[in-house]
Amino acid sequence: MALFTIGMLWIGGPLSYLELLCMQSFLDAGHPVRFFTYGDVPNVPDGVEIDDAAAILPGQPFLRHTRSGSLSLHADLFRLRMLAQDDRIIWADTDAYCVAPWLPREGHYYAFQDEQNIASGVLALPHSSIALAELLASTEDPTAIPEWLPKRQRIALEAAQAAGKSVHVANMPWGAWGPTAVTHFLRKTGEVENALPSNVLYPISFRDRGKMLQPGTISLDDFGAQTTSVHFYGSRMRRMLQRRHAGLPPEGCLIDLLLKKHGIAPAQAPLPAEHKAEPTLPAARPRAKSGKQETFLAVTCMKDEGAFIPEWIAFHQAAGFDHFLIFTNDCSDGTDRMVQRLEELGIATHRDNTRGPNQRASYQIRAFRKVLNEPVYRSHDWAMILDADEYLNVHCGAKTVQDLVAAVPDADAFSLTWRVFGCGGIEHYSRGFMTEQFNRAAPLDCPRPAQAWGLKSLFRTSAFERLGTHRPLVPVGGDWDVIKWVNGSGHSMPKRYRELTRGNWRSSPDCVGYHLAQVNHYALRSRQSFLLKSLKGTVHGGIDRNLDYWQRMNRNEEEDRTISPLLPKMRDYHAKIMADPVIFKLYERACNWHEQRIRDALAIGPIAELYDELGA
């Protein structure tokens, strides 16, 4: 009996040697190949049947994920409609290589990519499949709330729907119609029993993809008899080839061996310019329309910061932030209740970030991975990750984020350098404004300690797909070339910062700049308050808040009152916050807790000794 047909989709531009390799592997294995395209593709291999993709799913406009610009939504919907039209076709991503003929069992062909999730890069479902019918039904209404999303996300989407602001799938979490949906319905219908183990279709994991470019590491002989496919992980593999190997696979690596096996010459079909595999399509990242008032979100993690929250919120409202997304964990002073009240007042959105079983230790990393799927994050144009002891100090215009963005209107990210403030000789905790108490700081030219030039970043939410505590880590699609990333003086950040190397969380002499803005980092506060910071530890697994930290960060060489012009406006916002009787009561309790905690700490021998050493 004839082998199933392989169905593939391509949107824009000529094929590279990776796609040619995958297509040729199916032809050489005896599979017919139907290649669905939108427009002409100049270098399709002989023997491939070219078909009109628009006959299955019209293009222009293509269905894109708003935040990432990814065409995955369009491909997800196309895949399902293609399967519904042909009972003897198997969907294959154009980065799926055929090791041996694919033989579906009663029309089912798919595999686990890890222990929990079934991938959709290779998928066949018979017309009798209930899962296929439910998948198709779930895509009929692009504003329908997917039942497979986590409960918290469904609640947020339901609230928006109830308010008459239904969220389109393009603005939902990435992959809403992709592998998560496929896995959900296969489990729901029991068809998951047809899923193959990962070693059949995905013998090399995404994490180990680099091994395919290491000479002498992997060959086809290393795969078991069950293996019928290898996944190359498309854009990520192309990026690795471009950045590390000048676009060509190293001699003797797996991909090189496969190219030679099928007679594919890389030079005849080079990889496209890095991260631009869709050159005929418009830019993926939406920007605010001309005249639209852009919105700004501050994101933070907090634990026992109740004594400082009202000032921090009020200051950043004065600085132009519209809303606050606050993650709290393990609070003893009522910080979580205060943030919940701020949520009730419409000022903030609260998320419980308490560590659960088997979750990663870093509260910040866990929170910032969740941020990307938060509706409140996606609804704002700009975001900035700040700690409760960090204050954005804009120097241009009226000292707001709007003025900073206007200073470099085509920027996608501003990485602003810390200016570290010492205790200024202040010993006791006071309920007064921290921004008024502490005005002694390190010199601007202060490369040591390393923390003196740490970065914090303001960035467009539509431009990045992975975030770090100090700066965005990965732009949408991995394409740094379309990102304008500047420092605190509006000058371009060096290209080396694109790599996630150890020192790229801080400024260097060639990119430090304070002309437009800085971040005031009140890392110590008073001697007494520092004791509590040392007891609390660090939310991200960094260095201990001990005597060594104090000595490095207690910088008081210069006076800096550049933040002062914004303080009258801050006091107005502060008065409005404190006018709420619930906030006022919670603040009083938090301050009382802070003061009692200091007394308790000073009664502990080693802590009292540390306190004495701080003043030495």
Side-chain angles (χ1 to χ4, degrees):
M1 188 175 182
L3 295 176
F4 273 53
T5 296
I6 302 300
M8 292 178 160
L9 174 67
W10 189 250
I11 305 174
L15 301 170
S16 78
Y17 62 80
L18 281 179
E19 293 84 44
L20 292 178
L21 170 61
C22 292
M23 281 189 180
Q24 193 63 48
S25 72
F26 288 108
L27 295 173
D28 291 349
H31 281 285
V33 177
R34 285 180 73 187
F35 186 52
F36 295 92
T37 75
Y38 292 96
D40 295 332
V41 179
N43 58 339
V44 179
D46 293 338
V48 171
E49 178 187 353
I50 301 174
D51 216 331
D52 181 12
I56 291 180
L57 179 62
Q60 298 296 5
F62 294 103
L63 186 59
R64 290 177 177 273
H65 185 236
T66 300
R67 178 178 59 79
S68 67
S70 170
L71 287 163
S72 60
L73 275 173
H74 196 89
D76 291 337
L77 185 56
F78 183 93
R79 177 191 304 118
L80 298 176
R81 293 191 179 183
M82 182 196 77
L83 294 176
Q85 287 193 12
D86 191 334
D87 206 28
R88 287 188 56 81
I89 196 168
I90 305 173
W91 165 274
D93 286 350
T94 54
D95 57 356
Y97 173 84
C98 181
V99 176
W102 292 3
L103 304 174
R105 184 173 61 183
E106 298 181 352
H108 292 269
Y109 203 66
Y110 37 84
F112 284 94
Q113 190 164 6
D114 54 42
E115 293 182 359
Q116 300 296 326
N117 301 296
I118 295 168
S120 56
V122 174
L123 186 66
L125 290 165
H127 285 177
S128 60
S129 168
I130 299 174
L132 176 58
E134 294 211 19
L135 280 163
L136 285 165
S138 72
T139 63
E140 290 179 357
D141 179 2
T143 65
I145 299 173
E147 60 187 70
W148 52 90
L149 289 180
K151 182 178 179 180
R152 174 176 51 79
Q153 293 177 4
R154 294 200 309 273
I155 290 174
L157 293 171
E158 288 165 0
Q161 192 175 72
K165 299 180 180 179
S166 296
V167 177
H168 192 277
V169 66
N171 296 309
M172 291 182 189
W174 185 89
W177 287 350
T180 306
V182 171
T183 302
H184 170 79
F185 284 114
L186 289 176
R187 290 189 183 280
K188 179 180 178 180
T189 63
E191 293 170 67
V192 68
E193 67 181 16
N194 295 298
L196 301 165
S198 60
N199 67 312
V200 177
L201 299 178
Y202 308 98
I204 302 173
S205 68
F206 175 80
R207 178 176 296 181
D208 290 336
R209 66 192 183 282
K211 294 180 179 180
M212 290 187 271
L213 298 179
Q214 296 174 5
T217 301
I218 302 176
S219 73
L220 282 179
D221 294 335
D222 297 322
F223 302 124
Q226 282 188 307
T227 299
T228 61
S229 183
V230 175
H231 214 73
F232 291 149
Y233 305 104
S235 62
R236 300 302 178 93
M237 179 61 72
R238 289 193 294 269
R239 187 182 315 163
M240 193 176 293
L241 281 161
Q242 291 278 32
R243 291 188 175 185
R244 301 181 185 179
H245 306 287
L248 296 173
E251 183 79 21
C253 73
L254 175 64
I255 291 179
D256 174 64
L257 297 175
L258 296 179
L259 287 166
K260 291 174 179 175
K261 175 182 177 180
H262 295 278
I264 306 294
Q268 300 302 312
L271 297 177
E274 189 179 0
H275 314 312
K276 296 180 181 177
E278 299 162 2
T280 64
L281 300 177
R285 294 181 296 101
R287 290 179 180 265
K289 296 179 180 179
S290 177
K292 175 183 178 291
Q293 184 68 40
E294 293 191 305
T295 54
F296 295 79
L297 176 74
V299 182
T300 188
C301 292
M302 289 187 177
K303 175 184 177 182
D304 295 336
E305 297 284 1
F308 306 100
I309 290 175
E311 179 185 7
W312 187 86
I313 292 285
F315 176 84
H316 287 101
Q317 286 180 316
F321 284 92
D322 301 281
H323 198 72
F324 302 84
L325 175 57
I326 303 175
F327 294 80
T328 65
N329 63 278
D330 309 299
C331 296
S332 301
D333 73 336
T335 288
D336 47 357
R337 294 194 296 276
M338 188 181 294
V339 178
Q340 288 165 10
R341 179 57 179 168
L342 290 170
E343 183 171 48
E344 293 170 359
L345 296 173
I347 295 172
T349 295
H350 176 246
R351 293 289 180 258
D352 182 4
N353 196 34
T354 302
R355 184 183 180 190
N358 302 317
Q359 286 188 320
R360 62 171 63 243
S362 172
Y363 293 94
Q364 286 187 325
I365 293 176
R366 187 166 66 248
F368 302 152
R369 289 193 173 182
K370 296 176 182 177
V371 163
L372 296 170
N373 291 324
E374 287 285 349
V376 68
Y377 173 84
R378 298 194 306 276
S379 68
H380 285 77
D381 300 296
W382 292 84
M384 187 169 190
I385 294 171
L386 289 163
D387 292 340
D389 58 3
E390 296 169 344
Y391 286 66
L392 173 60
N393 183 2
V394 178
H395 299 319
C396 57
K399 298 183 69 66
T400 69
V401 283
Q402 290 81 4
D403 295 296
L404 175 59
V405 168
V408 191
D410 58 342
D412 298 289
F414 296 80
S415 281
L416 311 172
T417 308
W418 276 337
R419 191 170 194 188
V420 173
F421 284 69
C423 77
I426 297 175
E427 178 178 355
H428 299 287
Y429 160 70
S430 165
R431 299 189 184 189
F433 290 126
M434 186 170 61
T435 47
E436 293 181 342
Q437 294 180 68
F438 303 103
N439 49 55
R440 303 297 303 183
L444 294 180
D445 185 13
C446 187
R448 291 290 181 271
Q451 292 80 8
W453 275 356
L455 296 171
K456 281 304 178 79
S457 301
L458 175 72
F459 54 89
R460 292 185 185 273
T461 56
S462 62
F464 298 94
E465 64 183 35
R466 185 179 167 198
L467 309 178
T469 305
H470 295 271
R471 37 71 61 98
L473 301 179
V474 179
V476 167
D479 190 352
W480 280 108
D481 288 339
V482 300
I483 296 293
K484 185 174 181 60
W485 184 12
V486 300
N487 69 357
S489 292
H491 302 148
S492 295
M493 291 291 290
K495 287 187 177 181
R496 68 176 183 277
Y497 276 81
R498 300 176 180 185
E499 301 297 330
L500 304 182
T501 52
R502 186 173 181 179
N504 281 356
W505 60 271
R506 65 183 299 272
S507 296
S508 295
D510 63 344
C511 64
V512 66
Y514 292 98
H515 180 66
L516 296 177
Q518 67 187 48
V519 174
N520 285 17
H521 189 195
Y522 302 101
L524 306 179
R525 298 171 178 155
S526 67
R527 281 174 59 198
Q528 287 186 344
S529 289
F530 178 73
L531 294 181
L532 302 197
K533 294 190 76 169
S534 67
L535 288 174
K536 183 169 62 174
T538 172
V539 295
H540 53 77
I543 61 177
D544 292 333
R545 273 46 175 166
N546 54 20
L547 178 61
D548 179 62
Y549 183 86
W550 171 272
Q551 291 173 337
R552 279 188 279 170
M553 301 294 279
N554 189 25
R555 306 301 297 269
N556 302 285
E557 292 93 321
E558 296 181 3
E559 183 178 66
D560 183 345
R561 296 183 182 270
T562 56
I563 204 169
S564 297
L566 204 60
L567 299 188
K569 191 175 179 182
M570 177 198 77
R571 285 191 285 271
D572 291 340
Y573 278 105
H574 188 269
K576 293 176 183 178
I577 293 172
M578 297 302 288
D580 179 73
V582 177
I583 291 290
F584 181 82
K585 187 175 182 179
L586 289 170
Y587 172 72
E588 288 291 311
R589 287 179 179 177
C591 291
N592 291 337
W593 178 92
H594 194 87
E595 292 162 350
Q596 183 60 51
R597 184 75 167 147
I598 289 171
R599 290 191 289 270
D600 293 342
L602 289 172
I604 301 171
I607 300 299
E609 292 177 7
L610 172 62
Y611 184 70
D612 291 338
E613 290 177 324
L614 298 182

